[in-house]
Amino acid sequence: MSEFEFIKHLKARLTHSAHTILGVGDDAAVVDCPAGEQLVVTTDTLNVGVHFLQETAPEDLGWKALAVNLSDLAAMGAQPRWCTLAISVDHANAHWFERFLEGLLALAHQHGVDLIGGDMTQGRLSVTITAIGTVPDGQAIRRDGAQSGDDLWVTGCLGEAAGALAYSRVGQLNLHARAADPSDEKLRQRLIRPIPRIAAGIGLRNLASAAIDVSDGLLADLRHICQASQVGAHVVFAALPHVAEDPRLGGWQAMADLALTGGDDYELCFTAPVTARAAIDAAMVTSATPAARIGTIESGSALRVTLQTGEYALPSVLGYEHFR
Ligand code: ADP
Ligand code: MG
């Protein structure tokens, strides 16, 4: 399949919303930003061997490449609308592409996202997606608005995706096949098919003072909020919904490490004034998103975690970092 056959095939598969004036096929796409809204733009790359394994099913790769980008839009409170796809592959394989697109477009359709352009080159397998969303003027949720005294919240349950990876490393889980045990399969799905918290992010507009998506690990990402907002934070571990403890992974401490520093959760960590508690509870019910209050924003710059047994000793590396 040549590059041009691929583009023709792709074009035939795409549908567009009214905000897309011109999609795939010209030198560039043309879109209409709804009146009174601002564009929110993000890019993330997934590289083979760094972000995913060579054996990853193409459907799962397509899904995840878009999901990690939509998660960034969710953390801004944005409504996703468009995406572009730049992909490098070492050889053109029509069947592989079809499956890749199936995964990507399944998630795109769920959120009304139009694929409006991209590029295709030969090289080591790598996928870069740019996602574009919109927010009403001035309502994007940023990292720099947390205030001392704010509540600290997180959606969902942390450490499950990192748990799946940990199980696979000790030979307890095959990431590339459905697991027989339902709880193992749930962890595997958390890693290979993350679900971006779009509805929750939109519901947090005008409520959250700051937000970030948890992609590198809770503490690493919370530190970004603290640095941007010039505050500290106190996490009460007992309040944090986390992956189940399992002797196969080394017990309680290992589980706490997964929940606090494991990556790939794609949950939202956010802060909000105490007065917003009831409104946030209501917004989470409306968006069908579980959320928990896990601590407090403090003055200063320290990040600390209280465990049932005392203080958690923060590792020098709080989460995943490239070039380390
Ligand atoms: P140009 O050489 O002018 O950049 P291309 O041949 O790269 O054009 O692309 C032709 C059209 O197909 C463009 O609209 C481009 O956005 C789209 N396109 C190319 N590759 C992809 C891709 N991987 N995903 C989505 N659209 C693509
Ligand atoms: Mg091009």
Side-chain angles (χ1 to χ4, degrees):
M1 186 173 67
S2 77
E3 183 189 344
F4 300 109
E5 283 165 345
F6 161 73
I7 293 168
K8 204 172 141 200
H9 170 81
L10 175 66
K11 218 179 147 189
R13 286 207 48 166
L14 301 179
T15 54
H16 286 156
S17 72
H19 296 296
T20 300
I21 311 301
L22 185 60
V24 166
D26 212 311
D27 293 311
V30 180
V31 300
D32 222 359
C33 184
E37 303 206 11
Q38 293 171 324
L39 297 176
V40 182
V41 185
T42 186
T43 296
D44 260 319
T45 295
L46 299 186
N47 288 330
V48 68
V50 179
H51 302 93
F52 64 93
L53 300 166
Q54 181 77 53
E55 310 82 67
T56 303
E59 299 85 340
D60 295 336
L61 179 60
W63 175 285
K64 187 160 178 175
L66 182 58
V68 302
N69 279 282
L70 297 191
S71 178
D72 283 319
L73 292 184
M76 301 300 292
Q79 169 68 56
R81 293 188 185 275
W82 304 282
C83 69
T84 64
L85 165 67
I87 182 162
S88 288
V89 284
D90 38 25
H91 61 276
N93 174 332
H95 181 60
W96 188 94
F97 260 119
E98 187 49 43
R99 292 176 55 192
F100 174 87
L101 276 180
E102 192 183 307
L104 190 156
L105 294 178
L107 181 61
H109 288 155
Q110 278 185 16
H111 295 286
V113 171
D114 295 346
L115 175 60
I116 56 169
D119 199 15
M120 187 184 192
T121 52
Q122 190 169 26
R124 236 172 108 71
L125 183 57
S126 173
V127 181
T128 298
I129 288 184
T130 296
I132 306 164
T134 61
V135 286
D137 286 348
Q139 290 186 26
I141 308 169
R142 303 159 49 134
R143 294 181 181 182
D144 60 3
Q147 303 273 337
S148 173
D150 281 355
D151 289 325
L152 180 62
W153 296 74
V154 75
T155 62
C157 175
L158 297 189
E160 292 180 323
L165 209 52
Y167 283 120
S168 82
R169 289 207 176 111
V170 296
Q172 298 281 336
L173 182 63
N174 176 1
L175 294 177
H176 309 295
R178 179 164 287 278
D181 179 83
S183 67
D184 285 353
E185 178 59 14
K186 180 180 158 225
L187 295 195
R188 196 180 77 90
Q189 290 293 329
R190 289 279 283 153
L191 181 67
I192 66 170
R193 292 258 171 165
I195 296 175
R197 295 292 194 181
I198 302 296
I202 291 171
L204 289 170
R205 289 174 188 165
N206 299 318
L207 290 176
S209 50
I212 193 167
D213 70 318
V214 181
S215 54
D216 295 333
L218 175 67
L219 296 182
D221 290 313
L222 175 55
R223 170 152 286 173
H224 293 311
I225 288 187
C226 289
Q227 286 173 342
S229 302
Q230 296 184 288
V231 293
H234 177 208
V235 176
V236 179
F237 188 79
L240 177 70
H242 56 73
V243 60
E245 188 180 336
D246 188 321
R248 289 179 293 175
L249 294 183
W252 198 85
Q253 180 72 36
M255 176 274 296
D257 290 343
L258 288 175
L260 293 167
T261 65
D264 268 343
D265 293 302
Y266 302 104
E267 295 295 346
L268 299 183
C269 172
F270 60 97
T271 63
V274 172
T275 51
R277 281 180 190 173
I280 288 174
D281 284 335
M284 294 301 109
V285 169
T286 304
S287 64
T289 310
R293 259 189 293 126
I294 62 163
T296 313
I297 294 298
E298 301 179 324
S299 59
S301 60
L303 188 55
R304 58 195 187 95
V305 182
T306 303
L307 303 172
Q308 286 90 327
T309 51
E311 288 284 297
Y312 179 75
L314 260 61
S316 58
V317 182
L318 294 180
Y320 189 78
E321 286 181 41
H322 291 270
F323 307 113
R324 230 187 142 86

